[in-house]
Amino acid sequence: MTKTKKYFKYSLRQYCKNAEMHKANGLATALQADKTKKSFWQKVNDKNRSPSLPTLVGGANGGSEIVKMWKDYFKGILNFENSASGSAEHSIDCKENYLGLEMPMCSFVSLSLASLLQKLPLNKSPGLDCISAEHLLYADESLRFFLSELFNIIMCIVHGYTPNSCLNTTIVPICKNKNGNMSDTSNYRPVAVATMVSKLLEHFSLSNISPFLGTTDNQFSFKAGHSTDQCTFLLKQTASYFVTHGSSVHAVFLDASKAFDQVLHMKLFEKLIQRKVPMCFVCLLKHWYKEQTMQIKWGKRFSELCHVSNGVRQGGVLSPYLFAVYLDNLSNELNNIKAGCYIGELLLNHFVC
């Protein structure tokens, strides 16, 4: 069953990855087989027909009102007022933190850039700059050199600066259940579309600071060789062990709603500095998070840009790892309590997935 499930997931990923190619092959087959070309043009029309969007969502009526409603909705979530974040706004000065610290040389080279390009997802929607992963992956090799120099000199190494094209994220609300209530905002999930250059920069940052982002063994998500299935399996085995030995097990499940959006930026940067993350990357992230903006896309309509003051970046490559670091102190404190289920000398009192 495990092998079959793994093969099914692999096959599904491969199909989704090559979905556009399968559609193109279907069009070519229809063109070759149908002499009247009626079947071919029918497939073309079906492919180009965009799904209709609801005209009433969250009490807003019409495309313009819905876009404004979504902008206010996400703006409220990503800009909540918090005295702790406000008081800490100037507590971290990157220039001051450079003093007395040995700065490791962090630089882009064309060879490392070539390997990072392989990590960009293909067949994905481009950002506002209309540059897709295929543009960067199949471009002339000279582009890698100039892109490397751009990242080295302008953005991350010297100035800790991120260009405006990397700061903006487009959020597209996608319906979860098309058979459900299409006018209910809870029936939608946000999908973030960022520029490929920003994703490439995040991959570069992750490759350099990943040794500093380790978490406890109780954390299962966003770690190499770990999965949420392992977390579920361990929970079941722990409960089964104590029930089999005649003991009851009490568990509490905590669903942190919109937890990604509640992260305080300055607290996150403090945790990164405590882990001795190179300050060039901390300064880069500080500028990135301080100046980032987002806008809503609904159909062909776009909302106005608005700033984001809390939460990890929507759709960011680094975001899951930064969030895991943000929660790691809580995991350490729970382990230090020394209370919970013991199997031998192993303490199993909480799991994070």
Side-chain angles (χ1 to χ4, degrees):
M1 184 182 71
T2 302
K3 290 182 179 179
T4 304
K5 185 177 179 181
K6 187 181 295 184
Y7 178 73
F8 170 76
K9 287 185 176 181
Y10 173 78
S11 301
L12 183 61
R13 284 198 303 269
Q14 289 298 110
Y15 178 81
C16 294
K17 182 179 180 180
N18 301 312
E20 291 300 322
M21 183 185 70
H22 293 312
K23 292 178 182 178
N25 290 339
L27 289 174
T29 303
L31 179 61
Q32 184 179 13
D34 189 3
K35 295 182 179 180
T36 63
K37 305 298 184 292
K38 183 177 180 181
S39 175
F40 167 74
W41 287 111
Q42 182 65 39
K43 287 181 177 295
V44 171
N45 291 333
D46 293 341
K47 184 176 184 297
N48 293 333
R49 186 180 296 117
S50 58
S52 58
L53 295 172
T55 57
L56 179 65
V57 179
N61 190 6
S64 301
E65 292 296 323
I66 292 176
V67 167
K68 185 177 183 301
M69 181 275 299
W70 280 124
K71 189 198 77 169
D72 295 338
Y73 176 79
F74 287 108
K75 184 178 180 181
I77 294 175
L78 299 174
N79 291 279
F80 70 89
E81 293 184 1
N82 190 296
S83 59
S85 63
S87 61
E89 178 66 28
H90 302 289
S91 63
I92 297 179
D93 188 337
C94 290
K95 293 182 180 179
E96 291 180 359
N97 282 280
Y98 272 116
L99 300 177
L101 293 178
E102 181 181 353
M103 293 302 299
M105 291 300 296
C106 308
S107 62
F108 249 125
V109 292
S110 297
L111 181 62
S112 63
L113 183 61
S115 63
L116 293 176
L117 284 172
Q118 302 295 329
K119 298 182 180 181
L120 293 178
L122 303 179
N123 300 322
K124 297 294 184 180
S125 299
L128 292 178
D129 58 0
C130 298
I131 297 177
S132 64
E134 288 81 358
H135 287 115
L136 301 178
L137 183 61
Y138 302 119
D140 188 80
E141 291 186 3
S142 60
L143 175 66
R144 301 175 186 176
F145 170 77
F146 291 111
L147 197 57
S148 301
E149 291 301 307
L150 174 67
F151 285 162
N152 285 334
I153 299 173
I154 299 178
M155 284 193 287
C156 54
I157 307 307
V158 177
H159 301 292
Y161 170 79
T162 311
N164 293 334
S165 60
C166 295
L167 296 175
N168 183 38
T169 300
T170 303
I171 297 179
V172 183
I174 301 296
C175 183
K176 298 178 184 176
N177 181 14
K178 294 183 179 180
N179 296 322
N181 186 0
M182 298 285 286
S183 63
D184 186 4
T185 56
S186 62
N187 192 29
Y188 291 82
R189 60 183 178 89
V191 174
V193 181
T195 61
M196 287 299 164
V197 175
S198 67
K199 291 183 179 181
L200 186 62
L201 180 58
E202 285 196 271
H203 275 299
F204 166 67
S205 301
L206 180 60
S207 65
N208 281 274
I209 68 175
S210 56
F212 303 93
L213 304 181
T215 56
T216 64
D217 293 335
N218 303 87
Q219 169 70 256
F220 286 85
S221 54
F222 317 123
K223 294 174 70 173
H226 293 70
S227 69
T228 54
D229 290 338
Q230 292 175 337
C231 182
T232 304
F233 174 77
L234 185 57
L235 174 63
K236 290 182 176 180
Q237 290 298 106
T238 303
S240 176
Y241 174 85
F242 284 93
V243 171
T244 303
H245 288 78
S247 175
S248 59
V249 179
H250 301 278
V252 175
F253 295 88
L254 175 62
D255 181 11
S257 177
K258 297 181 176 57
F260 268 41
D261 303 327
Q262 306 300 314
V263 172
L264 301 178
H265 294 164
M266 289 305 156
K267 292 293 183 182
L268 174 62
F269 301 146
E270 288 175 1
K271 295 176 186 293
L272 294 178
I273 291 177
Q274 290 171 2
R275 289 169 173 259
K276 301 188 184 304
V277 173
M279 285 305 301
C280 56
F281 290 103
V282 177
C283 288
L284 172 66
L285 290 173
K286 183 175 184 293
H287 178 269
W288 205 334
Y289 274 73
K290 183 179 179 181
E291 302 296 335
Q292 66 176 326
T293 57
M294 66 99 179
Q295 66 178 159
I296 305 298
K297 180 183 178 183
W298 181 259
K300 295 183 179 180
R301 292 182 172 86
F302 289 86
S303 71
E304 297 177 353
L305 291 175
C306 61
H307 285 278
V308 177
S309 61
N310 55 264
V312 290
R313 292 187 69 247
Q314 294 287 333
V317 176
L318 266 173
S319 298
Y321 300 92
L322 296 178
F323 180 73
V325 168
Y326 194 77
L327 287 184
D328 197 49
N329 284 358
L330 174 61
S331 186
N332 283 321
E333 291 181 9
L334 290 173
N335 283 330
N336 293 333
I337 294 175
K338 305 296 183 182
C341 298
Y342 275 91
I343 299 180
E345 296 183 356
L346 180 63
L347 173 63
L348 300 169
N349 64 354
H350 73 283
F351 307 108
V352 182
C353 65

